[in-house]
Amino acid sequence: GAGVSQSPSNKVTEKGKDVELRCDPISGHTALYWYRQSLGQGLEFLIYFQGNSAPDKSGLPSDRFSAERTGGSVSTLTIQRTQQEDSAVYLCASSLGVVMNTEAFFGQGTRLTVV
Amino acid sequence: AQSVSQHNHHVILSEAASLELGCNYSYGGTVNLFWYVQYPGQHLQLLLKYFSGDPLVKGIKGFEAEFIKSKFSFNLRKPSVQWSDTAEYFCAVSSGNTPLVFGKGTRLSVIA
């Protein structure tokens, strides 16, 4: 597609429920990243996929968070048993390949509110 | 681990004032450096980037940044800001096969 697409754009969920956030990267981009943006906290790295390599999960804040990328394209970020502190904007980005000497393109984000 | 520091949390300027936003990073090897901008209600967009070569980088909308390796800095500048520059600005660093590390952002408010 023309850009990185994320859905839904907004999600309100009750505490304790599971949520799934979707990201469609730019066609042909082999690298895909998830970040979390909270007020005053900048962008917090969550997870990174590069081609067929094992994902870098070092930024996931707890085992309630997981992500997968099917067929090297679409990615889903799943948050189980949501807590109020999970409320944030979740951003997806993609790039042509390894991060060096390439730029990342960001989607509009999914605003998650846990009530 | 890499880290990025943006010195100013919120900057308020009048139109036509000059802008400089500070950014320092902590990695000592070869780096790629970026400034991203997020206008109200919009997604993050690349403002400018440094990969190699001339350390003075020109970006869109009259922005520029200077990479000073000895100071581990990549400060963003604009000689004369406009009301439409009101946004949040993020400095980011990458090195090797690592994802982008972002600073906490600087909110710029330009008043008429």
Side-chain angles (χ1 to χ4, degrees), chain A residues 35 37 40-43 45 48 91 98-104 106-108, chain B residues 30 32 34 36 38 43-44 46 49 51 90 94-100 102 104:
Chain A
Y35 288 85
Q37 184 177 20
Q41 296 301 311
L43 277 77
F45 164 72
Y48 162 56
L91 293 170
V98 295
V99 178
M100 210 66 189
N101 296 346
T102 63
E103 67 178 87
F106 283 81
Q108 294 269 19
Chain B
T30 303
N32 288 166
F34 306 83
Y36 282 84
Q38 189 171 33
H43 64 278
L44 275 167
L46 184 70
K49 63 192 177 195
F51 290 164
F90 294 91
S94 70
S95 61
N97 283 344
T98 58
L100 281 170
F102 284 84
K104 291 190 184 298

PDB file of all heavy atoms in Angstrom, chain A residues 35 37 40-43 45 48 91 98-104 106-108, chain B residues 30 32 34 36 38 43-44 46 49 51 90 94-100 102 104:
ATOM      1  N   TYR A  35       6.073   0.356  18.442  1.00  0.00           N
ATOM      2  CA  TYR A  35       6.456   1.279  19.509  1.00  0.00           C
ATOM      3  C   TYR A  35       5.200   1.655  20.291  1.00  0.00           C
ATOM      4  O   TYR A  35       4.084   1.576  19.781  1.00  0.00           O
ATOM      5  CB  TYR A  35       7.072   2.565  18.946  1.00  0.00           C
ATOM      6  CG  TYR A  35       8.452   2.416  18.372  1.00  0.00           C
ATOM      7  CD1 TYR A  35       8.642   1.994  17.051  1.00  0.00           C
ATOM      8  CD2 TYR A  35       9.589   2.685  19.135  1.00  0.00           C
ATOM      9  CE1 TYR A  35       9.908   1.851  16.513  1.00  0.00           C
ATOM     10  CE2 TYR A  35      10.864   2.551  18.606  1.00  0.00           C
ATOM     11  CZ  TYR A  35      11.013   2.136  17.292  1.00  0.00           C
ATOM     12  OH  TYR A  35      12.276   1.995  16.773  1.00  0.00           O
ATOM     13  N   GLN A  37       3.646   4.932  22.512  1.00  0.00           N
ATOM     14  CA  GLN A  37       3.833   6.351  22.792  1.00  0.00           C
ATOM     15  C   GLN A  37       2.895   6.761  23.910  1.00  0.00           C
ATOM     16  O   GLN A  37       1.682   6.744  23.757  1.00  0.00           O
ATOM     17  CB  GLN A  37       3.569   7.193  21.544  1.00  0.00           C
ATOM     18  CG  GLN A  37       3.847   8.675  21.733  1.00  0.00           C
ATOM     19  CD  GLN A  37       3.650   9.469  20.449  1.00  0.00           C
ATOM     20  OE1 GLN A  37       2.978   9.038  19.516  1.00  0.00           O
ATOM     21  NE2 GLN A  37       4.249  10.643  20.385  1.00  0.00           N
ATOM     22  N   GLY A  40       4.484  12.306  27.396  1.00  0.00           N
ATOM     23  CA  GLY A  40       5.711  12.687  28.092  1.00  0.00           C
ATOM     24  C   GLY A  40       6.780  11.615  28.133  1.00  0.00           C
ATOM     25  O   GLY A  40       7.847  11.830  28.719  1.00  0.00           O
ATOM     26  N   GLN A  41       6.523  10.468  27.516  1.00  0.00           N
ATOM     27  CA  GLN A  41       7.488   9.360  27.565  1.00  0.00           C
ATOM     28  C   GLN A  41       8.156   9.079  26.238  1.00  0.00           C
ATOM     29  O   GLN A  41       8.937   8.148  26.122  1.00  0.00           O
ATOM     30  CB  GLN A  41       6.792   8.080  28.060  1.00  0.00           C
ATOM     31  CG  GLN A  41       6.290   8.180  29.478  1.00  0.00           C
ATOM     32  CD  GLN A  41       7.396   8.472  30.455  1.00  0.00           C
ATOM     33  OE1 GLN A  41       8.430   7.830  30.459  1.00  0.00           O
ATOM     34  NE2 GLN A  41       7.199   9.497  31.282  1.00  0.00           N
ATOM     35  N   GLY A  42       7.850   9.823  25.226  1.00  0.00           N
ATOM     36  CA  GLY A  42       8.467   9.560  23.928  1.00  0.00           C
ATOM     37  C   GLY A  42       7.969   8.250  23.360  1.00  0.00           C
ATOM     38  O   GLY A  42       6.875   7.782  23.670  1.00  0.00           O
ATOM     39  N   LEU A  43       8.776   7.640  22.521  1.00  0.00           N
ATOM     40  CA  LEU A  43       8.418   6.377  21.876  1.00  0.00           C
ATOM     41  C   LEU A  43       9.232   5.258  22.510  1.00  0.00           C
ATOM     42  O   LEU A  43      10.450   5.256  22.471  1.00  0.00           O
ATOM     43  CB  LEU A  43       8.685   6.430  20.378  1.00  0.00           C
ATOM     44  CG  LEU A  43       7.603   7.080  19.532  1.00  0.00           C
ATOM     45  CD1 LEU A  43       7.651   8.584  19.630  1.00  0.00           C
ATOM     46  CD2 LEU A  43       7.730   6.634  18.080  1.00  0.00           C
ATOM     47  N   PHE A  45      10.299   1.441  22.442  1.00  0.00           N
ATOM     48  CA  PHE A  45      10.407   0.299  21.546  1.00  0.00           C
ATOM     49  C   PHE A  45       9.788  -0.940  22.188  1.00  0.00           C
ATOM     50  O   PHE A  45      10.016  -1.216  23.371  1.00  0.00           O
ATOM     51  CB  PHE A  45      11.880   0.044  21.220  1.00  0.00           C
ATOM     52  CG  PHE A  45      12.159  -1.307  20.619  1.00  0.00           C
ATOM     53  CD1 PHE A  45      11.768  -1.583  19.328  1.00  0.00           C
ATOM     54  CD2 PHE A  45      12.795  -2.287  21.358  1.00  0.00           C
ATOM     55  CE1 PHE A  45      12.011  -2.833  18.767  1.00  0.00           C
ATOM     56  CE2 PHE A  45      13.048  -3.533  20.809  1.00  0.00           C
ATOM     57  CZ  PHE A  45      12.653  -3.807  19.522  1.00  0.00           C
ATOM     58  N   TYR A  48      10.575  -5.920  17.220  1.00  0.00           N
ATOM     59  CA  TYR A  48      11.119  -5.641  15.889  1.00  0.00           C
ATOM     60  C   TYR A  48      11.225  -6.946  15.116  1.00  0.00           C
ATOM     61  O   TYR A  48      11.758  -7.932  15.627  1.00  0.00           O
ATOM     62  CB  TYR A  48      12.489  -4.985  16.090  1.00  0.00           C
ATOM     63  CG  TYR A  48      13.445  -4.952  14.933  1.00  0.00           C
ATOM     64  CD1 TYR A  48      13.107  -4.396  13.702  1.00  0.00           C
ATOM     65  CD2 TYR A  48      14.746  -5.436  15.104  1.00  0.00           C
ATOM     66  CE1 TYR A  48      14.021  -4.334  12.673  1.00  0.00           C
ATOM     67  CE2 TYR A  48      15.667  -5.375  14.073  1.00  0.00           C
ATOM     68  CZ  TYR A  48      15.305  -4.825  12.858  1.00  0.00           C
ATOM     69  OH  TYR A  48      16.207  -4.756  11.830  1.00  0.00           O
ATOM     70  N   LEU A  91       2.237   2.475  17.972  1.00  0.00           N
ATOM     71  CA  LEU A  91       2.679   2.855  16.631  1.00  0.00           C
ATOM     72  C   LEU A  91       3.403   1.707  15.967  1.00  0.00           C
ATOM     73  O   LEU A  91       4.207   1.008  16.599  1.00  0.00           O
ATOM     74  CB  LEU A  91       3.622   4.057  16.705  1.00  0.00           C
ATOM     75  CG  LEU A  91       3.005   5.372  17.174  1.00  0.00           C
ATOM     76  CD1 LEU A  91       4.095   6.404  17.422  1.00  0.00           C
ATOM     77  CD2 LEU A  91       2.024   5.899  16.153  1.00  0.00           C
ATOM     78  N   VAL A  98      17.372  -3.687   7.089  1.00  0.00           N
ATOM     79  CA  VAL A  98      18.041  -3.392   8.344  1.00  0.00           C
ATOM     80  C   VAL A  98      18.052  -1.893   8.585  1.00  0.00           C
ATOM     81  O   VAL A  98      18.044  -1.101   7.666  1.00  0.00           O
ATOM     82  CB  VAL A  98      19.484  -3.931   8.360  1.00  0.00           C
ATOM     83  CG1 VAL A  98      19.485  -5.431   8.303  1.00  0.00           C
ATOM     84  CG2 VAL A  98      20.310  -3.347   7.232  1.00  0.00           C
ATOM     85  N   VAL A  99      18.029  -1.513   9.833  1.00  0.00           N
ATOM     86  CA  VAL A  99      17.788  -0.123  10.168  1.00  0.00           C
ATOM     87  C   VAL A  99      18.885   0.804   9.653  1.00  0.00           C
ATOM     88  O   VAL A  99      18.641   1.936   9.284  1.00  0.00           O
ATOM     89  CB  VAL A  99      17.618   0.042  11.693  1.00  0.00           C
ATOM     90  CG1 VAL A  99      17.415   1.480  12.062  1.00  0.00           C
ATOM     91  CG2 VAL A  99      16.422  -0.780  12.137  1.00  0.00           C
ATOM     92  N   MET A 100      20.119   0.338   9.590  1.00  0.00           N
ATOM     93  CA  MET A 100      21.218   1.210   9.149  1.00  0.00           C
ATOM     94  C   MET A 100      20.972   1.698   7.730  1.00  0.00           C
ATOM     95  O   MET A 100      20.662   0.926   6.834  1.00  0.00           O
ATOM     96  CB  MET A 100      22.520   0.419   9.210  1.00  0.00           C
ATOM     97  CG  MET A 100      23.745   1.250   9.495  1.00  0.00           C
ATOM     98  SD  MET A 100      23.689   1.947  11.143  1.00  0.00           S
ATOM     99  CE  MET A 100      25.092   3.055  11.087  1.00  0.00           C
ATOM    100  N   ASN A 101      21.088   2.993   7.561  1.00  0.00           N
ATOM    101  CA  ASN A 101      20.959   3.629   6.250  1.00  0.00           C
ATOM    102  C   ASN A 101      19.596   3.465   5.599  1.00  0.00           C
ATOM    103  O   ASN A 101      19.472   3.528   4.379  1.00  0.00           O
ATOM    104  CB  ASN A 101      22.056   3.150   5.290  1.00  0.00           C
ATOM    105  CG  ASN A 101      23.438   3.564   5.758  1.00  0.00           C
ATOM    106  OD1 ASN A 101      23.572   4.413   6.630  1.00  0.00           O
ATOM    107  ND2 ASN A 101      24.446   2.946   5.200  1.00  0.00           N
ATOM    108  N   THR A 102      18.591   3.216   6.382  1.00  0.00           N
ATOM    109  CA  THR A 102      17.213   3.253   5.869  1.00  0.00           C
ATOM    110  C   THR A 102      16.390   4.052   6.856  1.00  0.00           C
ATOM    111  O   THR A 102      16.767   4.220   8.004  1.00  0.00           O
ATOM    112  CB  THR A 102      16.589   1.849   5.720  1.00  0.00           C
ATOM    113  OG1 THR A 102      16.498   1.244   7.011  1.00  0.00           O
ATOM    114  CG2 THR A 102      17.402   0.976   4.795  1.00  0.00           C
ATOM    115  N   GLU A 103      15.257   4.546   6.390  1.00  0.00           N
ATOM    116  CA  GLU A 103      14.388   5.290   7.279  1.00  0.00           C
ATOM    117  C   GLU A 103      13.126   4.487   7.535  1.00  0.00           C
ATOM    118  O   GLU A 103      12.711   3.671   6.710  1.00  0.00           O
ATOM    119  CB  GLU A 103      14.027   6.655   6.697  1.00  0.00           C
ATOM    120  CG  GLU A 103      13.166   6.596   5.458  1.00  0.00           C
ATOM    121  CD  GLU A 103      12.785   7.971   4.952  1.00  0.00           C
ATOM    122  OE1 GLU A 103      13.570   8.543   4.162  1.00  0.00           O
ATOM    123  OE2 GLU A 103      11.707   8.456   5.313  1.00  0.00           O
ATOM    124  N   ALA A 104      12.549   4.700   8.700  1.00  0.00           N
ATOM    125  CA  ALA A 104      11.325   4.027   9.078  1.00  0.00           C
ATOM    126  C   ALA A 104      10.132   4.929   8.788  1.00  0.00           C
ATOM    127  O   ALA A 104      10.180   6.130   9.037  1.00  0.00           O
ATOM    128  CB  ALA A 104      11.357   3.661  10.557  1.00  0.00           C
ATOM    129  N   PHE A 106       6.089   5.551   9.561  1.00  0.00           N
ATOM    130  CA  PHE A 106       5.163   5.239  10.641  1.00  0.00           C
ATOM    131  C   PHE A 106       3.709   5.280  10.185  1.00  0.00           C
ATOM    132  O   PHE A 106       3.335   6.068   9.308  1.00  0.00           O
ATOM    133  CB  PHE A 106       5.346   6.231  11.800  1.00  0.00           C
ATOM    134  CG  PHE A 106       6.551   5.937  12.639  1.00  0.00           C
ATOM    135  CD1 PHE A 106       7.808   6.336  12.240  1.00  0.00           C
ATOM    136  CD2 PHE A 106       6.422   5.227  13.834  1.00  0.00           C
ATOM    137  CE1 PHE A 106       8.928   6.040  13.011  1.00  0.00           C
ATOM    138  CE2 PHE A 106       7.530   4.926  14.612  1.00  0.00           C
ATOM    139  CZ  PHE A 106       8.783   5.342  14.197  1.00  0.00           C
ATOM    140  N   GLY A 107       2.900   4.446  10.833  1.00  0.00           N
ATOM    141  CA  GLY A 107       1.456   4.509  10.662  1.00  0.00           C
ATOM    142  C   GLY A 107       0.864   5.571  11.577  1.00  0.00           C
ATOM    143  O   GLY A 107       1.573   6.222  12.347  1.00  0.00           O
ATOM    144  N   GLN A 108      -0.469   5.705  11.490  1.00  0.00           N
ATOM    145  CA  GLN A 108      -1.180   6.705  12.290  1.00  0.00           C
ATOM    146  C   GLN A 108      -1.307   6.298  13.748  1.00  0.00           C
ATOM    147  O   GLN A 108      -1.586   7.128  14.603  1.00  0.00           O
ATOM    148  CB  GLN A 108      -2.590   6.932  11.721  1.00  0.00           C
ATOM    149  CG  GLN A 108      -2.615   7.562  10.361  1.00  0.00           C
ATOM    150  CD  GLN A 108      -2.679   9.071  10.415  1.00  0.00           C
ATOM    151  OE1 GLN A 108      -2.363   9.684  11.425  1.00  0.00           O
ATOM    152  NE2 GLN A 108      -3.075   9.680   9.316  1.00  0.00           N
TER     153      GLN A 108
ATOM    154  N   THR B  30      29.365   3.836  14.899  1.00  0.00           N
ATOM    155  CA  THR B  30      28.712   4.460  13.747  1.00  0.00           C
ATOM    156  C   THR B  30      27.201   4.512  13.967  1.00  0.00           C
ATOM    157  O   THR B  30      26.595   3.524  14.367  1.00  0.00           O
ATOM    158  CB  THR B  30      29.009   3.656  12.470  1.00  0.00           C
ATOM    159  OG1 THR B  30      30.419   3.580  12.300  1.00  0.00           O
ATOM    160  CG2 THR B  30      28.394   4.330  11.255  1.00  0.00           C
ATOM    161  N   ASN B  32      23.244   6.217  12.673  1.00  0.00           N
ATOM    162  CA  ASN B  32      22.343   6.978  11.814  1.00  0.00           C
ATOM    163  C   ASN B  32      21.523   7.854  12.746  1.00  0.00           C
ATOM    164  O   ASN B  32      21.119   7.406  13.824  1.00  0.00           O
ATOM    165  CB  ASN B  32      21.389   6.061  11.037  1.00  0.00           C
ATOM    166  CG  ASN B  32      22.070   5.290   9.925  1.00  0.00           C
ATOM    167  OD1 ASN B  32      21.511   4.336   9.396  1.00  0.00           O
ATOM    168  ND2 ASN B  32      23.265   5.687   9.547  1.00  0.00           N
ATOM    169  N   PHE B  34      18.277  10.802  13.176  1.00  0.00           N
ATOM    170  CA  PHE B  34      17.020  11.243  12.568  1.00  0.00           C
ATOM    171  C   PHE B  34      16.346  12.286  13.455  1.00  0.00           C
ATOM    172  O   PHE B  34      16.474  12.259  14.684  1.00  0.00           O
ATOM    173  CB  PHE B  34      16.044  10.059  12.418  1.00  0.00           C
ATOM    174  CG  PHE B  34      16.593   8.870  11.680  1.00  0.00           C
ATOM    175  CD1 PHE B  34      17.368   7.926  12.334  1.00  0.00           C
ATOM    176  CD2 PHE B  34      16.308   8.685  10.345  1.00  0.00           C
ATOM    177  CE1 PHE B  34      17.865   6.812  11.664  1.00  0.00           C
ATOM    178  CE2 PHE B  34      16.794   7.576   9.662  1.00  0.00           C
ATOM    179  CZ  PHE B  34      17.574   6.650  10.323  1.00  0.00           C
ATOM    180  N   TYR B  36      12.305  13.321  13.667  1.00  0.00           N
ATOM    181  CA  TYR B  36      10.937  13.119  13.224  1.00  0.00           C
ATOM    182  C   TYR B  36      10.067  14.225  13.815  1.00  0.00           C
ATOM    183  O   TYR B  36      10.346  14.730  14.899  1.00  0.00           O
ATOM    184  CB  TYR B  36      10.396  11.762  13.680  1.00  0.00           C
ATOM    185  CG  TYR B  36      10.851  10.571  12.875  1.00  0.00           C
ATOM    186  CD1 TYR B  36      12.069   9.950  13.133  1.00  0.00           C
ATOM    187  CD2 TYR B  36      10.063  10.062  11.846  1.00  0.00           C
ATOM    188  CE1 TYR B  36      12.478   8.849  12.388  1.00  0.00           C
ATOM    189  CE2 TYR B  36      10.465   8.966  11.092  1.00  0.00           C
ATOM    190  CZ  TYR B  36      11.669   8.365  11.381  1.00  0.00           C
ATOM    191  OH  TYR B  36      12.075   7.277  10.640  1.00  0.00           O
ATOM    192  N   GLN B  38       5.894  15.319  14.615  1.00  0.00           N
ATOM    193  CA  GLN B  38       4.496  14.870  14.709  1.00  0.00           C
ATOM    194  C   GLN B  38       3.623  16.099  14.879  1.00  0.00           C
ATOM    195  O   GLN B  38       3.589  16.710  15.960  1.00  0.00           O
ATOM    196  CB  GLN B  38       4.323  13.907  15.879  1.00  0.00           C
ATOM    197  CG  GLN B  38       2.961  13.243  15.919  1.00  0.00           C
ATOM    198  CD  GLN B  38       2.901  12.136  16.963  1.00  0.00           C
ATOM    199  OE1 GLN B  38       3.541  12.204  18.007  1.00  0.00           O
ATOM    200  NE2 GLN B  38       2.131  11.098  16.686  1.00  0.00           N
ATOM    201  N   HIS B  43       0.488  11.540  11.908  1.00  0.00           N
ATOM    202  CA  HIS B  43       1.474  10.530  12.248  1.00  0.00           C
ATOM    203  C   HIS B  43       2.882  11.109  12.188  1.00  0.00           C
ATOM    204  O   HIS B  43       3.099  12.215  11.692  1.00  0.00           O
ATOM    205  CB  HIS B  43       1.337   9.333  11.298  1.00  0.00           C
ATOM    206  CG  HIS B  43       1.625   9.669   9.866  1.00  0.00           C
ATOM    207  ND1 HIS B  43       0.700  10.243   9.036  1.00  0.00           N
ATOM    208  CD2 HIS B  43       2.741   9.507   9.116  1.00  0.00           C
ATOM    209  CE1 HIS B  43       1.214  10.416   7.856  1.00  0.00           C
ATOM    210  NE2 HIS B  43       2.461   9.979   7.858  1.00  0.00           N
ATOM    211  N   LEU B  44       3.821  10.368  12.713  1.00  0.00           N
ATOM    212  CA  LEU B  44       5.225  10.769  12.682  1.00  0.00           C
ATOM    213  C   LEU B  44       5.730  10.851  11.256  1.00  0.00           C
ATOM    214  O   LEU B  44       5.503   9.945  10.447  1.00  0.00           O
ATOM    215  CB  LEU B  44       6.075   9.745  13.429  1.00  0.00           C
ATOM    216  CG  LEU B  44       6.201   9.909  14.928  1.00  0.00           C
ATOM    217  CD1 LEU B  44       6.784   8.654  15.537  1.00  0.00           C
ATOM    218  CD2 LEU B  44       7.052  11.106  15.275  1.00  0.00           C
ATOM    219  N   LEU B  46       9.289  11.943   8.820  1.00  0.00           N
ATOM    220  CA  LEU B  46      10.712  12.219   8.845  1.00  0.00           C
ATOM    221  C   LEU B  46      10.965  13.660   8.453  1.00  0.00           C
ATOM    222  O   LEU B  46      10.477  14.133   7.420  1.00  0.00           O
ATOM    223  CB  LEU B  46      11.446  11.275   7.887  1.00  0.00           C
ATOM    224  CG  LEU B  46      12.957  11.410   7.886  1.00  0.00           C
ATOM    225  CD1 LEU B  46      13.533  10.887   9.193  1.00  0.00           C
ATOM    226  CD2 LEU B  46      13.559  10.631   6.707  1.00  0.00           C
ATOM    227  N   LYS B  49      17.557  13.381   8.058  1.00  0.00           N
ATOM    228  CA  LYS B  49      18.335  12.222   8.498  1.00  0.00           C
ATOM    229  C   LYS B  49      19.797  12.438   8.170  1.00  0.00           C
ATOM    230  O   LYS B  49      20.144  13.162   7.234  1.00  0.00           O
ATOM    231  CB  LYS B  49      17.821  10.947   7.811  1.00  0.00           C
ATOM    232  CG  LYS B  49      17.979  10.978   6.292  1.00  0.00           C
ATOM    233  CD  LYS B  49      17.217   9.866   5.618  1.00  0.00           C
ATOM    234  CE  LYS B  49      17.334   9.985   4.104  1.00  0.00           C
ATOM    235  NZ  LYS B  49      16.355   9.163   3.374  1.00  0.00           N
ATOM    236  N   PHE B  51      23.156   9.970   7.516  1.00  0.00           N
ATOM    237  CA  PHE B  51      23.750   8.643   7.392  1.00  0.00           C
ATOM    238  C   PHE B  51      25.265   8.750   7.361  1.00  0.00           C
ATOM    239  O   PHE B  51      25.965   8.015   8.055  1.00  0.00           O
ATOM    240  CB  PHE B  51      23.253   7.937   6.119  1.00  0.00           C
ATOM    241  CG  PHE B  51      21.797   7.514   6.177  1.00  0.00           C
ATOM    242  CD1 PHE B  51      21.108   7.174   5.020  1.00  0.00           C
ATOM    243  CD2 PHE B  51      21.110   7.438   7.375  1.00  0.00           C
ATOM    244  CE1 PHE B  51      19.777   6.777   5.058  1.00  0.00           C
ATOM    245  CE2 PHE B  51      19.779   7.047   7.439  1.00  0.00           C
ATOM    246  CZ  PHE B  51      19.115   6.708   6.270  1.00  0.00           C
ATOM    247  N   PHE B  90      10.957  14.708  17.614  1.00  0.00           N
ATOM    248  CA  PHE B  90      11.641  13.571  18.214  1.00  0.00           C
ATOM    249  C   PHE B  90      12.975  13.330  17.524  1.00  0.00           C
ATOM    250  O   PHE B  90      13.044  13.237  16.297  1.00  0.00           O
ATOM    251  CB  PHE B  90      10.805  12.292  18.084  1.00  0.00           C
ATOM    252  CG  PHE B  90       9.521  12.309  18.849  1.00  0.00           C
ATOM    253  CD1 PHE B  90       8.345  12.748  18.270  1.00  0.00           C
ATOM    254  CD2 PHE B  90       9.489  11.884  20.172  1.00  0.00           C
ATOM    255  CE1 PHE B  90       7.152  12.762  18.979  1.00  0.00           C
ATOM    256  CE2 PHE B  90       8.303  11.889  20.891  1.00  0.00           C
ATOM    257  CZ  PHE B  90       7.135  12.330  20.292  1.00  0.00           C
ATOM    258  N   SER B  94      19.974   5.146  15.404  1.00  0.00           N
ATOM    259  CA  SER B  94      20.090   3.706  15.183  1.00  0.00           C
ATOM    260  C   SER B  94      21.539   3.373  14.887  1.00  0.00           C
ATOM    261  O   SER B  94      22.306   4.220  14.455  1.00  0.00           O
ATOM    262  CB  SER B  94      19.196   3.254  14.037  1.00  0.00           C
ATOM    263  OG  SER B  94      19.681   3.731  12.810  1.00  0.00           O
ATOM    264  N   SER B  95      21.893   2.107  15.143  1.00  0.00           N
ATOM    265  CA  SER B  95      23.246   1.651  14.845  1.00  0.00           C
ATOM    266  C   SER B  95      23.192   0.164  14.574  1.00  0.00           C
ATOM    267  O   SER B  95      22.610  -0.582  15.360  1.00  0.00           O
ATOM    268  CB  SER B  95      24.180   1.930  16.016  1.00  0.00           C
ATOM    269  OG  SER B  95      23.757   1.240  17.163  1.00  0.00           O
ATOM    270  N   GLY B  96      23.771  -0.279  13.469  1.00  0.00           N
ATOM    271  CA  GLY B  96      23.782  -1.693  13.151  1.00  0.00           C
ATOM    272  C   GLY B  96      22.381  -2.243  13.027  1.00  0.00           C
ATOM    273  O   GLY B  96      21.484  -1.555  12.557  1.00  0.00           O
ATOM    274  N   ASN B  97      22.176  -3.458  13.462  1.00  0.00           N
ATOM    275  CA  ASN B  97      20.883  -4.109  13.355  1.00  0.00           C
ATOM    276  C   ASN B  97      20.023  -3.869  14.578  1.00  0.00           C
ATOM    277  O   ASN B  97      19.431  -4.787  15.136  1.00  0.00           O
ATOM    278  CB  ASN B  97      21.076  -5.618  13.162  1.00  0.00           C
ATOM    279  CG  ASN B  97      21.480  -5.950  11.754  1.00  0.00           C
ATOM    280  OD1 ASN B  97      21.347  -5.138  10.850  1.00  0.00           O
ATOM    281  ND2 ASN B  97      21.995  -7.145  11.557  1.00  0.00           N
ATOM    282  N   THR B  98      19.949  -2.622  14.983  1.00  0.00           N
ATOM    283  CA  THR B  98      19.134  -2.304  16.147  1.00  0.00           C
ATOM    284  C   THR B  98      18.024  -1.355  15.745  1.00  0.00           C
ATOM    285  O   THR B  98      18.187  -0.554  14.835  1.00  0.00           O
ATOM    286  CB  THR B  98      19.972  -1.636  17.250  1.00  0.00           C
ATOM    287  OG1 THR B  98      20.568  -0.439  16.721  1.00  0.00           O
ATOM    288  CG2 THR B  98      21.067  -2.564  17.736  1.00  0.00           C
ATOM    289  N   PRO B  99      16.887  -1.464  16.393  1.00  0.00           N
ATOM    290  CA  PRO B  99      15.798  -0.565  16.049  1.00  0.00           C
ATOM    291  C   PRO B  99      16.088   0.860  16.509  1.00  0.00           C
ATOM    292  O   PRO B  99      16.958   1.088  17.339  1.00  0.00           O
ATOM    293  CB  PRO B  99      14.604  -1.156  16.802  1.00  0.00           C
ATOM    294  CG  PRO B  99      15.208  -1.896  17.931  1.00  0.00           C
ATOM    295  CD  PRO B  99      16.523  -2.414  17.442  1.00  0.00           C
ATOM    296  N   LEU B 100      15.332   1.775  15.979  1.00  0.00           N
ATOM    297  CA  LEU B 100      15.465   3.176  16.349  1.00  0.00           C
ATOM    298  C   LEU B 100      15.217   3.382  17.837  1.00  0.00           C
ATOM    299  O   LEU B 100      14.253   2.851  18.384  1.00  0.00           O
ATOM    300  CB  LEU B 100      14.447   4.023  15.586  1.00  0.00           C
ATOM    301  CG  LEU B 100      14.756   4.379  14.141  1.00  0.00           C
ATOM    302  CD1 LEU B 100      13.525   5.000  13.511  1.00  0.00           C
ATOM    303  CD2 LEU B 100      15.935   5.303  14.051  1.00  0.00           C
ATOM    304  N   PHE B 102      14.402   6.403  20.451  1.00  0.00           N
ATOM    305  CA  PHE B 102      13.896   7.773  20.414  1.00  0.00           C
ATOM    306  C   PHE B 102      14.150   8.507  21.721  1.00  0.00           C
ATOM    307  O   PHE B 102      14.178   7.905  22.802  1.00  0.00           O
ATOM    308  CB  PHE B 102      12.382   7.767  20.163  1.00  0.00           C
ATOM    309  CG  PHE B 102      12.000   7.472  18.742  1.00  0.00           C
ATOM    310  CD1 PHE B 102      11.902   6.171  18.289  1.00  0.00           C
ATOM    311  CD2 PHE B 102      11.734   8.505  17.860  1.00  0.00           C
ATOM    312  CE1 PHE B 102      11.550   5.899  16.976  1.00  0.00           C
ATOM    313  CE2 PHE B 102      11.376   8.243  16.544  1.00  0.00           C
ATOM    314  CZ  PHE B 102      11.285   6.936  16.105  1.00  0.00           C
ATOM    315  N   LYS B 104      12.591  11.549  24.323  1.00  0.00           N
ATOM    316  CA  LYS B 104      11.247  11.726  24.867  1.00  0.00           C
ATOM    317  C   LYS B 104      10.441  12.788  24.141  1.00  0.00           C
ATOM    318  O   LYS B 104       9.262  12.986  24.419  1.00  0.00           O
ATOM    319  CB  LYS B 104      11.324  12.059  26.365  1.00  0.00           C
ATOM    320  CG  LYS B 104      11.804  10.884  27.217  1.00  0.00           C
ATOM    321  CD  LYS B 104      11.643  11.166  28.688  1.00  0.00           C
ATOM    322  CE  LYS B 104      12.213  10.053  29.546  1.00  0.00           C
ATOM    323  NZ  LYS B 104      11.523   8.774  29.333  1.00  0.00           N
TER     324      LYS B 104
END
